[in-house]
């Protein structure tokens, strides 16, 4: 079955070729394609519909050929493998990193990494829910903490990648206050309390580093991204 429309691949796709596509590049309704890395298959017109309604990819293959589309990323609906480099809608701001001598609960053998995120209010861009309208930035600057050990430093380096790709924050509706058009977290959890975990946002939490590595990987930010220039980044 096609992983998008769930109809049999032997049946034609229910989607039509967009009228904006140039003649000579038309795709037949029964054309089937396959993702390169994960191998999941789908109707090409179903893929094109998902492509046009979301982010993009240039790593999709037709039988016997390579289809080079626009730059960007696409996520397999079946296994969530990301193709291309995923970028988000985080507004402009600043990420600062400091070293603190004090240890975190649960990590007595090392100091602490402090991250400070600063994002000022501004106007929403075309990638945001209400372009041209202002957005607010409640609770900034935001202070976050990691243990200054090997795994904590790896998480820090991956958070730097996520920050540069605009994945850590987005403009949306606050889940705590219900406020709309405000800067909110974007699914990569941070520890915002240093010396207690009464709220669930602090330490000790023995599973936190592994959990945040999984959240980063779900956004396409993996250890491969830390390879020297020339290395590939894959999820």
């Amino acid at each position: 079955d096609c992983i998008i429309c769930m109809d049999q691949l032997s049946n034609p796709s229910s989607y039509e070729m967009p009228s904006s596509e140039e003649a000579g590049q038309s795709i037949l309704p029964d054309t089937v394609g396959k993702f390169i890395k994960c191998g999941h298959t789908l109707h090409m017109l179903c893929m094109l519909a998902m492509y046009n309604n979301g982010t993009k990819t240039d790593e999709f293959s037709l039988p016997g050929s390579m289809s080079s589309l626009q730059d960007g990323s696409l996520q397999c609906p079946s296994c969530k493998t990301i193709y291309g480099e995923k970028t988000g809608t985080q507004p402009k701001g600043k990420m600062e990193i400091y070293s603190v001598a004090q240890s975190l609960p649960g990590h007595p053998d090392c100091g602490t990494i402090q991250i400070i995120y600063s994002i000022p209010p501004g106007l929403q861009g075309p990638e945001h829910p209400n372009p041209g309208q202002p957005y607010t930035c409640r609770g900034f600057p935001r202070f976050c903490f990691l243990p200054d050990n090997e795994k904590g430093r790896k998480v820090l380096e991956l958070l730097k990648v996520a920050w540069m790709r605009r994945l850590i924050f987005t403009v949306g509706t606050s889940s705590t206050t219900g406020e709309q058009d405000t800067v909110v977290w974007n699914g990569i959890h941070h520890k915002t309390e240093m010396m207690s975990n009464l709220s669930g946002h602090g330490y000790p939490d023995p599973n936190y580093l592994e959990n945040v590595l999984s959240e980063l990987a779900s956004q396409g930010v993996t250890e491969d991204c830390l390879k020297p220039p020339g290395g590939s980044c894959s999820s």
Side-chain angles (χ1 to χ4, degrees):
D1 294 344
C2 173
I3 57 175
I4 294 181
C5 71
M6 305 309 293
D7 196 1
Q8 293 182 0
L9 289 169
S10 56
N11 295 331
S13 171
S14 58
Y15 288 97
E16 297 181 354
M17 192 73 185
S19 58
S20 60
E21 296 293 328
E22 295 181 9
Q25 294 198 358
S26 60
I27 300 172
L28 296 176
D30 59 353
T31 303
V32 174
K34 180 172 72 172
F35 283 109
I36 292 173
K37 286 185 285 188
C38 63
H40 288 111
T41 53
L42 67 170
H43 294 119
M44 276 297 296
L45 284 181
C46 291
M47 184 283 299
L48 188 61
M50 180 170 68
Y51 174 86
N52 287 334
N53 287 322
T55 51
K56 318 301 183 190
T57 182
D58 57 4
E59 298 184 51
F60 194 87
S61 67
L62 283 167
S65 68
M66 168 68 75
S67 176
S68 250
L69 301 176
Q70 301 176 42
D71 291 335
S73 70
L74 187 72
Q75 192 168 40
C76 173
S78 180
C79 66
K80 308 306 179 185
T81 297
I82 294 176
Y83 292 83
E85 182 177 297
K86 182 177 180 179
T87 57
T89 59
Q90 175 181 287
K92 291 182 179 179
K94 182 168 61 173
M95 177 185 186
E96 300 174 89
I97 300 158
Y98 299 94
S99 179
V100 179
Q102 188 172 1
S103 297
L104 293 166
H107 300 276
D109 299 328
C110 64
T112 299
I113 299 167
Q114 182 186 60
I115 305 170
I116 304 177
Y117 295 113
S118 301
I119 297 180
L123 294 179
Q124 298 181 52
E127 72 274 27
H128 295 137
N130 295 297
Q133 296 299 309
Y135 59 81
T136 59
C137 297
R138 309 297 183 193
F140 284 89
R142 297 191 183 183
F143 296 80
C144 306
F145 305 95
L146 292 168
D148 194 2
N149 56 23
E150 183 178 0
K151 185 170 284 188
R153 288 189 290 272
K154 179 169 76 172
V155 169
L156 174 64
E157 293 305 311
L158 293 175
L159 287 175
K160 291 179 184 178
V161 174
W163 172 264
M164 294 300 295
R165 295 185 184 176
R166 305 175 65 196
L167 295 169
I168 294 180
F169 296 97
T170 188
V171 175
T173 300
S174 170
S175 60
T176 55
T177 67
E179 181 180 4
Q180 298 179 341
D181 299 321
T182 191
V183 176
V184 296
W185 295 106
N186 192 37
I188 301 173
H189 286 85
H190 286 62
K191 292 298 188 181
T192 55
E193 295 181 6
M194 186 172 178
M195 299 309 297
S196 72
N197 197 22
L198 296 177
S199 67
H201 302 301
Y203 293 90
D205 184 346
N207 299 318
Y208 170 65
L209 294 178
E210 284 299 326
N211 290 341
V212 75
L213 285 172
S214 296
E215 291 171 347
L216 285 160
S218 71
Q219 301 282 355
V221 181
T222 69
E223 207 166 342
D224 287 344
C225 300
L226 304 181
K227 291 179 179 179
S232 62
C233 174
S234 61
S235 55

